[in-house]
Amino acid sequence: LYMLSGLLMTIADTAQAQENILDSLILRLRENLDPDRSAEVFSALEAARQAFSEAYSATLSASKLLRNSPSGRSRQP
């Protein structure tokens, strides 16, 4: 369980990195695209950013639960 918790932390870190990349992309697109014509693009990107944010929170929570479970604590290195 401890190893699985570590894997979940890696997944959480990846989701957070993807969210950060999307944030940067959204900022750059806002500077270069006509807001009236790109509202759909921004909406889709924001939905994706939110999904990565939720994935980060969920996997981080799952990792903490595994690390704090009785069987997870007994097998820590």
Side-chain angles (χ1 to χ4, degrees), residues 35-48:
D36 295 332
R37 298 179 65 204
S38 58
E40 229 177 299
V41 171
F42 290 128
S43 178
L45 288 172
E46 180 56 31

Side-chain angles (χ1 to χ4, degrees), residues 15 46-56:
E46 180 56 31
R49 193 202 61 74
Q50 183 63 33
F52 286 128
S53 178
E54 291 173 11
Y56 169 75

